[in-house]
Amino acid sequence: QVQLVESGGGSVQAGGSLRLSCAISGGTLRVYGVGWFRQAPGKEREFVAAISSWGGFSTAYASSVKGRFTISRDNTKNTVDLQMNSLFAEDAAVYYCAARPGGGSASETEYSYWGQGTQVTVSA
């Protein structure tokens, strides 16, 4: 059974940085595309970034985070990281990682496995 565990959340001031990590167990990361999603209070869960298991690890980003966030993967460690720079108050949310066989996707319905989430708080 594939399990995902997020870590690295916390509190940071606006303009600061955080690095989230998604650890995968019960499976081999190299066959999975991984996405990061987030959900703020009172809002729908939204796509943040995704990375594929093929195509040179192609990536995709939501327009709201492009240029500030970077998704990367280390298949030897079975982890996918999300480096978040220049954080805004609007980035505060619970961040989830999700995995699916093959390519990454911006659609949460295409993911088979989900982590429990990690809280990111951004203060002004």
Side-chain angles (χ1 to χ4, degrees), residues 57-122:
F57 300 159
S58 60
T59 59
Y61 296 93
S63 58
S64 60
V65 306
K66 192 173 293 184
R68 299 188 297 123
F69 290 13
T70 302
I71 189 171
S72 61
R73 62 190 293 150
D74 186 337
N75 287 348
T76 64
K77 297 181 179 179
N78 264 10
T79 57
V80 173
D81 289 350
L82 183 69
Q83 177 66 42
M84 307 187 296
N85 298 329
S86 303
L87 285 161
F88 304 143
E90 305 89 85
D91 295 315
V94 177
Y95 282 71
Y96 301 88
C97 66
R100 64 185 295 269
S105 172
S107 173
E108 61 178 274
T109 61
E110 296 192 12
Y111 287 89
S112 304
Y113 308 102
W114 289 83
Q116 294 300 305
T118 185
Q119 178 73 52
V120 171
T121 303
V122 183

